[in-house]
Every structure is written in C-alpha cells, then in structure tokens.
C-alpha cells in the first residue's frame, strides 16, 4: 500500500513535470489542445513534443542525461496522454524511450542534439545488440502440435520418397504432417535450409501445405487472425491514418483503390491493386522502411519497398523465365498473375527461384500465405519490409509480443490503431 501511494505521487509529479514544460514552451499548449480534441497526436505534433522535451532534458541534465531522467519523461508523456501508450509493450512508453536498448524517439532526438554539438557518435551504436532479441520467423520454438507417431529418420526418408511421386494429395498432406519435425530441424539448420524445396517439392504443387505447417507451429487460432481481423478491425483505421500522411501520388492512388468497393471495374483505374492489397501496401507508407525519424540519403521509399512484396505479371507470362530472371532473393515475395493488377487470377510465392502457388486467390489470402511462408521456411524478413512485417506479426497475429525488437514507429502506429 505505501508503495502504491508512492507510485501515484511519483506519477503525479512526472505528469506535472511534462505538463509544465509544455505549458511554458512555445507550441506546447497547442500540443495539449490537439490531444484533447483528437485523443491522439499526429506525426508533426509528435515530433514537436519530442523536440520540446528533449531540449528540456538536455538543458537541465546535459547532453548525456542519465537513463532514469529519460524514462521519467517518456513515462510522463504516456501518463499525461494515455492514448499515446502502446498497449502491447511492457511499460507502454518504450517507443519514446526504451532504457534496455537506448532507443526511442526521445533517445534519437537527444543523439541528434549530441551530434549537433560535435559529440562522439559512438552513441548511435547503442542498442544494436538488442536489435535481434529472440523472436520472429527464424528462431527455434515449441510447436503447438505434438505428433502422435514419431517417425525415425529412416521412416522420414521413406515418407519423403513416397511423397515425391504420390498422386494422392491427401496422402501427401498426411505425410507432410508426419515429417513436420524432421522438416523443422532442416529449416533451422543453416547447412540444409536452402534444400527444403528440393527435399519437399510438393509445396510447389499441393496447395495449402504452408498453411498446414503454420497451423502445426502456432495453432488454428493464431493462423486465422489476419483474415479474421484485417478487414474488420484494421483496414479502415489504416486508411484513416494514411489520410494524414503528406500527400504523394502513390499514397493518393492507394487510398483511392483501398476505398473503392472490390467489384468496382471502372476504366482507367486498372493499373492499381484491388482494395485489400492496396490497404496492405498503405501500411508500408504508414510504417515505412527506415522509420528512424531523420532522413538518410539513399533512404528507400515505401513504393520501392512494394516491389519486394508483390510483383505483377500479365497472364501468359512465362513463370519459368521470370524465375530465371530473378537474382536469387532469399526472402519470399508474391508474384501476381492476371489480366490486370486488380483482377489477379493466381498468386505465387517466389522463394529461392521456386514458385509456390498460393491456395487462396484473394489478395489478402495470398498475403497471409506470404507472411506464413517466412515462418515455415525460416527466412528473415526483407530489411525494407521489416518494420511492416513486424507490425503484422505482433499486432495482428500476436506472435512473440515483447520478444522482438520493434521500431518506435511500429509501437506508435499500434497505439493509434488500438487505443
Ligand atoms: C536533472 O536536472 C534536474 C533539474 O536541474 C535536477 O533536479 C536533477 O537532480 C537532475 N538529475 C540528474 C540525475 O542529474
Ligand atoms: C524425387 O524425384 C526426382 C525425379 O523423379 C528425383 O530426381 C529426386 O531424387 C527424388 N527425390 C527424392 C527425395 O526422392
Ligand atoms: C526477363 O528479362 C528480360 C531482359 O531483362 C526481359 O526482356 C524479360 O521480359 C524478362 N522476362 C520476365 C518473364 O520477366
């Protein structure tokens, strides 16, 4: 009890601290008003509050302020403005300052101030080691599924030989289930993982095998989340948030496509994707490739990153030739084939110059399979899509929440969508 009283007093003090800084700095009152009106802060206003508070910290405690000071201010922000709190992180304020890794908007701003003063740059490497914590598609994990019959290695090899030629798809699916553990070990072994589609070639003609392995890893509940929640809980909010982004022609086109009903066959808009895929691609603009707060030369744009997620080819394109053309990419992407982008007849997952036909013919279903392919084949996310995939992983599928390092932008967007 005394501890609780102390904590409430402490919260009261830090709320007052942040509030009084804002009230006394130019632009600060505007921030409070915006929050009260909209129950959130836009990107511009968030930058402003971070700049004001970082300036205050360095004024009072120097350009290398201790961790507790930064934590105090970060906690102050989400205590004064509870809708800015991230519902999935431990303290809710890690996107402003994460003491474990030394990252977050406040930390970055303070580093910029240090740099401006010609200080050492060493600090920018702080936190890199925490970058890869212990989650994501490449880690070994307990599977949901425990096999009833455990096959010996020889039995697995027999099953693999059987599957190679069997015309009975149901039997192949069953054998794939029985060889799941054998395959997981192969996937996680660096020496063998690239052979997976050679040893298990039926991924390339029996549809639904990616889904089956993913369900064995995570269970039906997790597996269904994207299809269940995207159109009902996320899509509209993503569109809403993207309307606040600086307008570019790319975002404008995607917004138009995302908001059009799916059966809209108006002429002239045939070069855009269908409504669901457009909303997924908008997420790439909302959580861009290098959302590090400051612009870097050579920064990849969301539109460039799109090509690593989905590529369109007109019906009749020679898929084999497309595969020969690509310079081995370790990360999977979607190949969409159809008469035009918004009416795709078949999606393929392209991985290591193999084409795996998607079971689903809907764009959302194909994206769901693409995401799952990362876990089934143990491939890391493409660096350009890393932030966006991490958002999908934690916020939509709830996989490895609190175990993977997320960029502050991921947490910020989540706070806006879920609060
Ligand atoms: C930070 O600055 C405040 C105000 O000047 C001061 O009271 C506090 O002791 C300082 N904290 C540290 C850890 O230096
Ligand atoms: C599968 O069949 C192909 C051709 O029929 C053969 O080259 C390959 O070695 C076989 N793979 C296995 C694992 O039996
Ligand atoms: C393969 O590359 C060639 C030359 O760059 C190009 O002309 C051709 O259209 C490409 N084919 C496919 C299927 O992408």
């Amino acid at each position: 009890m005394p501890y609780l009283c102390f904590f409430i007093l402490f919260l009261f003090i830090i709320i007052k601290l942040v509030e009084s800084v804002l009230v006394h700095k130019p632009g600060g009152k505007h921030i409070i008003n915006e929050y009260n009106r909209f129950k959130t802060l836009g990107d511009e206003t968030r930058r402003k509050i971070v700049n004001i508070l970082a300036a205050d910290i360095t004024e009072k405690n120097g350009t290398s302020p201790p961790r507790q000071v930064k934590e105090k201010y970060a906690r102050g922000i989400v205590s004064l403005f509870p809708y800015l709190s991230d519902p999935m992180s431990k303290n809710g304020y890690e996107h402003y300052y994460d003491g474990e890794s030394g990252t977050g908007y406040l930390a970055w701003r303070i580093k910029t101030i240090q740099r401006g003063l010609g200080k050492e740059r060493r600090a920018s490497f702080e936190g890199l080691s925490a970058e890869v914590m212990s989650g994501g598609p490449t880690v070994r994990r307990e599977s949901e599924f425990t096999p009833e019959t455990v096959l010996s290695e020889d039995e697995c090899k027999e099953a693999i030989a059987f599957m190679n030629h069997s015309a009975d798809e149901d039997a192949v699916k069953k054998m794939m289930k029985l060889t799941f553990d054998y395959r997981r070990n192969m996937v996680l072994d660096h020496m063998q993982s690239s052979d997976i589609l050679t040893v298990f070639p039926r991924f390339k003609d029996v549809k639904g095998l990616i889904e089956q392995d993913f369900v064995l890893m995570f269970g039906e509940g997790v597996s269904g989340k994207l299809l269940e929640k995207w159109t009902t809980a996320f899509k509209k909010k993503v569109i809403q948030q993207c309307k606040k982004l600086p307008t570019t022609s790319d975002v404008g086109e995607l917004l138009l496509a995302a908001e059009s009903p799916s059966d809209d066959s108006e002429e002239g808009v045939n070069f855009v994707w269908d409504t669901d895929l457009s909303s997924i691609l908008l997420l790439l603009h909302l959580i861009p490739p290098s959302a590090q707060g400051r612009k870097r030369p050579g920064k990849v744009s969301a539109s460039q990153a799109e090509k690593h997620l989905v590529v369109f080819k007109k019906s009749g394109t020679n898929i084999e030739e497309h595969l020969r053309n690509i310079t081995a990419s370790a990360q999977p992407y979607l190949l969409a084939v159809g008469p035009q982008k918004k009416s795709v007849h078949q999606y393929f997952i392209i991985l290591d110059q193999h084409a795996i036909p998607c079971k689903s013919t809907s764009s959302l279903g194909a994206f769901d399979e693409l995401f799952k392919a990362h876990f089934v084949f143990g491939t890391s996310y493409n660096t350009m899509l890393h932030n966006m995939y991490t958002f999908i992983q934690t916020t939509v599928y709830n996989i490895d929440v609190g175990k993977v390092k997320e960029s502050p932008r991921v947490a910020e967007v989540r706070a806006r969508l879920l609060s």
Side-chain angles (χ1 to χ4, degrees):
M1 209 51 195
Y3 174 77
L4 187 64
C5 293
F6 172 76
F7 187 71
I8 291 171
L9 180 66
F10 169 71
L11 272 190
F12 179 76
I13 291 172
I14 58 175
I15 288 175
K16 283 291 153 204
L17 165 73
V18 169
E19 195 176 22
S20 83
V21 173
L22 291 181
V23 168
H24 291 107
K25 292 276 160 74
K29 279 197 186 123
H30 173 78
I31 295 173
I32 297 173
N33 291 341
E34 179 173 325
Y35 179 83
N36 288 338
R37 261 186 79 195
F38 300 109
K39 303 282 175 264
T40 182
L41 295 181
D43 293 342
E44 199 51 50
T45 326
R46 186 256 299 152
R47 274 192 281 275
K48 203 173 273 165
I49 188 175
V50 167
N51 290 355
I52 290 175
L53 294 178
D56 189 68
I57 293 172
T58 52
E59 242 167 62
K60 288 181 182 151
N61 296 88
T63 52
S64 302
R67 175 173 162 174
Q68 306 88 285
V69 173
K70 289 179 271 192
E71 274 169 350
K72 198 162 71 181
Y73 278 72
R75 191 190 289 279
I77 296 172
V78 300
S79 306
L80 178 60
F81 303 131
Y83 285 104
L84 303 187
S85 175
D86 170 16
M88 282 190 182
S89 68
K90 195 163 137 232
N91 298 302
Y93 59 72
E94 285 86 343
H95 48 309
Y96 288 99
Y97 180 68
D98 179 0
E100 298 282 312
S101 59
T103 54
Y105 291 127
L106 275 177
W108 286 341
R109 180 63 193 164
I110 291 169
K111 278 168 199 165
T112 306
I113 296 172
Q114 288 171 344
R115 241 174 259 135
L117 295 173
K119 279 237 176 171
E120 276 187 78
R121 305 191 57 157
R122 206 206 109 252
S124 60
F125 294 102
E126 194 189 322
L128 267 191
S129 58
E131 207 63 40
V132 186
M133 299 206 302
S134 60
T138 58
V139 301
R140 190 176 287 276
R141 62 179 73 236
E142 283 281 317
S143 293
E144 279 289 303
F145 163 77
T146 31
E148 292 150 28
T149 30
V150 180
L151 300 191
S152 68
E153 184 157 344
D154 284 342
E155 285 168 330
C156 281
K157 287 192 171 138
E158 275 171 35
I160 287 165
F162 168 85
M163 282 192 278
N164 204 12
H165 299 293
S166 174
D168 181 350
E169 286 203 359
D170 287 335
V172 170
K173 282 185 182 162
K174 214 166 142 202
M175 293 285 178
M176 284 295 279
K177 219 167 175 173
L178 287 171
T179 52
F180 172 73
D181 277 334
Y182 181 90
R183 189 160 53 256
R184 287 312 302 156
N185 284 326
M186 238 189 114
V187 163
L188 295 166
D189 177 347
H190 291 299
M191 301 297 285
Q192 296 190 65
S193 57
S194 59
D195 295 334
I196 206 81
L197 285 168
T198 317
V199 177
F200 295 99
R202 302 310 292 271
F203 276 110
K204 293 191 281 180
D205 72 311
V206 178
K207 291 178 185 172
L209 292 179
I210 290 177
E211 171 79 14
Q212 175 169 286
D213 269 13
F214 191 83
V215 169
L216 295 177
M217 291 172 86
F218 295 104
E220 299 273 359
V222 172
S223 183
K225 287 211 189 268
L226 180 92
L227 296 183
E228 209 174 280
K229 298 203 290 189
W230 185 259
T231 42
T232 52
F234 287 97
K235 185 175 168 181
K236 205 181 276 171
K237 290 178 179 171
V238 167
I239 292 173
Q240 218 173 31
Q241 288 295 320
C242 284
K243 287 187 174 164
K244 298 178 192 159
L245 292 175
T247 31
T248 63
S249 57
D250 290 329
V251 172
E253 266 166 26
L254 285 172
L255 276 173
L256 207 63
E259 288 197 292
S260 74
S262 44
D263 56 359
D264 179 338
S265 59
E266 214 179 304
E267 295 240 356
V269 288
N270 290 340
F271 56 91
V272 296
W273 298 104
D274 73 9
T275 164
D276 284 340
L277 188 52
S278 297
S279 69
I280 295 279
L281 293 172
L282 275 174
L283 195 57
L284 212 41
H285 289 266
L286 198 57
I287 306 175
S290 53
Q292 298 250 332
R294 65 202 125 87
K295 289 208 172 64
R296 287 191 275 117
K299 181 181 155 193
V300 278
S301 72
S303 305
Q304 284 169 286
E306 176 183 318
K307 297 183 187 71
H308 296 272
L309 197 153
V310 59
V311 169
F312 173 76
K313 292 281 171 197
K314 260 201 176 312
S315 309
T317 303
N318 185 335
I319 307 273
E320 289 304 319
E321 191 188 323
H322 174 78
L323 294 178
R324 273 197 305 276
N325 263 6
I326 52 177
T327 39
S329 98
Q331 282 89 24
Y333 63 88
L334 287 179
L335 175 67
V337 180
Q340 60 203 24
K341 278 184 169 179
K342 69 185 306 188
S343 66
V344 168
H345 293 162
Q346 173 75 63
Y347 287 95
F348 296 88
I349 292 169
I350 305 297
L351 176 65
D352 290 335
Q353 299 193 310
H354 294 282
I356 303 167
C358 290
K359 183 179 172 195
S360 177
T361 50
S362 81
S363 59
L364 199 58
F367 177 72
D368 182 55
E369 289 176 59
L370 172 66
F371 174 81
K372 290 170 179 173
H374 289 86
F375 286 81
V376 170
F377 300 114
T379 69
S380 55
Y381 300 134
N382 183 300
T383 44
M384 283 182 225
L385 305 174
H386 189 274
N387 289 339
M388 181 262 211
Y389 274 135
T390 304
F391 175 86
I392 297 276
Q393 177 198 312
T394 54
T395 312
V396 181
Y397 291 94
N398 305 134
I399 292 173
D400 294 341
V401 174
K403 284 194 196 159
V404 281
K405 180 71 193 152
E406 297 182 307
S407 93
R409 181 62 173 177
V410 169
E412 181 179 46
V413 169
R414 177 167 52 233
R416 287 182 192 167
L417 297 191
L418 300 187
S419 298

